[in-house]
Amino acid sequence: MILILDAKTDKQGADYRRLLDYLANLPGIRYRIHQEQGALQVLTEVYLVGDTASLSLENMRELPCVERVVRVSEEYRILGRHRDDTRPNGFVYNGIQFDQDNLNLFPGLCAVDNPSHVESMLRALHKHRISCTRMGAYKPRTSPYAFQGHGRACLNYVFELSGKYGIKVIAMEITHDKHLDEIREALLETGSPTGVMLQIGTRNTQNFELLKIVGRQTDFPVLIKRGFGITLDESLNAAEYLASEGNSHVIFGLRGMKSNSGDPHRNMVDFAHVPVVKRLTRMPVCIDPSHSVGTRAASPDGLLDILHATCQGVIAGANMVLVDFHPDPAKALVDGPQALLLEELPRFLEEVAIARQAYQQRLEIARRYTS
Ligand code: PEP
Ligand code: MN
């Protein structure tokens, strides 16, 4: 059960104290307080867990400071959609809005290799007025002998160059809690010229200790990728771990499922689940066509498979696209064969715009048929 408090609640006041005393004395119930930064105000939500079935909605509504009460199902308590749940979805980070209605593009390098490639990439984004990117510094690799990413050593120049080209948010995977400290340190050293969205990769979707650590901080939003070999429900529960620890600024990423059924693509594209995740949860949904498709192959009509998959995700209502580009894929240290070329950026943007417009037209049709 969630109690949404009146925005004018005085945290030092007697009413607030009375509410917390009352909740503390409910048998078999624990509570946890979440602050949710809305567009205009900070909303306070109190999550009640335990034997909440015994509580009546009417009684809880009568408690001091309580404006609304939502009874949540057992699933995805914080991030899920529940009946009578009008809590807003989405958040703003470093000036960029993320929600289930809009679309943000994150074209960038799978892995940072050198400052010159980073700069070429960012210059191209700047030219096309794109203010988000992906830059991998910590790379989880199948082989222990493969390049593992430059890690801390590249962060300062990545952040400085991002600031120079007006990048507001960099999606960057971390695989260990010390990477979080390193990112904080590099931002501090460079004067925070940009923002970072922490990425939990598919290999770490169920690394619960990492999820708890990342969930306990609220400085950075989190993109969590779906686990490539587990059910959607298991991956959504993994996302809920982040929120249950305190960080509900979470985006859910589809990146294809490991299965030979997807051959010759790297993974089985699962973008038909974009609307499913939006129905089950309030998280914005990201698609990663690069790691799904894994090849620059084109069909006889001349369209690249990665662009087909991108459009499939966008026409289904995706809210974010994480996509690999590289100025010189032959020299890329990771995933060169799936990188789009910088010259293909305008083409990518044109296709995304068409797919997005088609999605919006589909919404119009839906409105016509349901009104
Ligand atoms: C990535 O985005 O660089 C990546 C490794 O993705 P995934 O975790 O989906 O394999
Ligand atoms: Mn990659």
Side-chain angles (χ1 to χ4, degrees):
M1 184 176 278
I2 304 174
L3 312 182
I4 296 145
L5 304 193
D6 192 315
K8 293 190 282 298
T9 299
D10 173 11
K11 297 285 174 38
Q12 315 304 329
D15 278 351
Y16 187 63
R17 195 63 262 157
R18 273 205 295 137
L19 171 70
L20 296 191
D21 285 347
Y22 179 85
L23 298 177
N25 285 314
L26 286 173
I29 305 275
R30 282 172 294 118
Y31 72 85
R32 193 176 194 134
I33 295 172
H34 281 255
Q35 305 283 357
E36 191 56 44
Q37 179 66 55
L40 299 172
Q41 58 200 14
V42 178
L43 270 186
T44 304
E45 297 174 350
V46 184
Y47 291 84
L48 304 181
V49 288
D51 179 25
T52 53
S54 62
L55 304 175
S56 100
L57 282 181
E58 289 67 36
N59 288 351
M60 302 313 281
R61 257 187 226 121
E62 297 302 314
L63 293 175
C65 311
V66 172
E67 186 180 289
R68 265 179 314 123
V69 182
V70 178
R71 193 183 283 287
V72 299
S73 54
E74 284 305 300
E75 284 186 326
Y76 331 130
R77 290 177 189 194
I78 302 174
L79 296 174
R81 270 185 191 280
H82 307 290
R83 212 151 50 87
D84 306 324
D85 187 356
T86 52
R87 289 175 295 159
N89 73 62
F91 57 91
V92 177
Y93 173 65
N94 209 23
I96 307 288
Q97 173 80 30
F98 295 91
D99 59 39
Q100 284 196 338
D101 300 316
N102 75 353
L103 174 64
N104 289 296
L105 305 179
F106 281 64
L109 301 181
C110 175
V112 172
D113 41 22
N114 62 52
S116 149
H117 286 156
V118 172
E119 182 146 24
S120 307
M121 182 74 236
L122 297 177
R123 195 184 296 116
L125 297 181
H126 182 70
K127 186 171 156 207
H128 292 279
R129 298 202 176 85
I130 294 171
S131 43
C132 301
T133 189
R134 56 160 296 145
M135 289 281 157
Y138 305 98
K139 299 305 300 178
R141 305 303 304 284
T142 304
S143 164
Y145 307 111
F147 173 64
Q148 306 281 312
H150 287 308
R152 173 70 181 91
C154 70
L155 296 186
N156 286 37
Y157 71 74
V158 168
F159 294 163
E160 277 160 1
L161 287 168
S162 296
K164 175 173 170 188
Y165 290 102
I167 295 293
K168 299 283 181 208
V169 188
I170 306 173
M172 181 176 278
E173 177 164 1
I174 64 166
T175 59
H176 193 281
D177 54 340
K178 80 166 194 270
H179 301 156
L180 184 53
D181 301 330
E182 292 176 1
I183 288 171
R184 284 190 205 284
E185 183 184 80
L187 284 173
L188 202 65
E189 278 179 19
T190 55
S192 294
T194 185
V196 173
M197 175 182 288
L198 303 173
Q199 184 176 324
I200 303 288
T202 195
R203 291 159 190 80
N204 276 310
T205 307
Q206 285 188 312
N207 182 340
F208 299 117
E209 296 313 312
L210 181 63
L211 295 178
K212 286 184 202 166
I213 287 160
V214 170
R216 269 179 221 136
Q217 62 75 42
T218 49
D219 293 343
F220 307 107
V222 187
L223 165 65
I224 180 168
K225 296 271 199 92
R226 177 181 194 170
F228 57 31
I230 57 178
T231 63
L232 182 63
D233 174 60
E234 286 164 333
S235 290
L236 295 178
N237 269 298
E240 184 74 11
Y241 259 87
L242 297 162
S244 75
E245 293 293 331
N247 190 345
S248 51
H249 292 179
V250 181
I251 294 177
F252 189 78
L254 298 172
R255 46 83 67 211
M257 301 301 289
K258 193 159 268 323
S259 156
N260 290 109
S261 311
D263 292 357
H265 286 161
R266 184 172 173 179
N267 289 288
M268 183 77 185
V269 180
D270 56 350
F271 299 165
H273 276 174
V274 168
V276 178
V277 178
K278 288 168 88 169
R279 178 167 73 238
L280 293 174
T281 78
R282 297 178 302 127
M283 287 185 277
V285 182
C286 171
I287 53 160
D288 178 342
S290 305
H291 289 82
S292 300
V293 169
T295 157
R296 291 182 38 79
S299 47
D301 56 16
L303 300 180
L304 295 168
D305 288 13
I306 290 179
L307 296 182
H308 272 299
T310 302
C311 290
Q312 286 165 8
V314 172
I315 205 170
N319 308 111
M320 170 170 164
V321 182
L322 193 72
V323 55
D324 291 2
F325 275 78
H326 198 284
D328 188 356
K331 296 215 181 94
L333 297 177
V334 184
D335 286 345
Q338 71 189 26
L340 299 175
L341 312 173
L342 295 191
E343 306 83 86
E344 288 166 336
L345 184 57
R347 173 178 174 184
F348 167 83
L349 296 175
E350 266 189 73
E351 293 216 28
V352 167
I354 291 170
R356 178 73 185 165
Q357 197 183 6
Y359 170 68
Q360 279 157 340
Q361 286 170 343
R362 293 178 60 219
L363 293 185
E364 264 312 305
I365 295 172
R367 270 185 220 115
R368 241 183 15 243
Y369 278 88
T370 49
S371 59

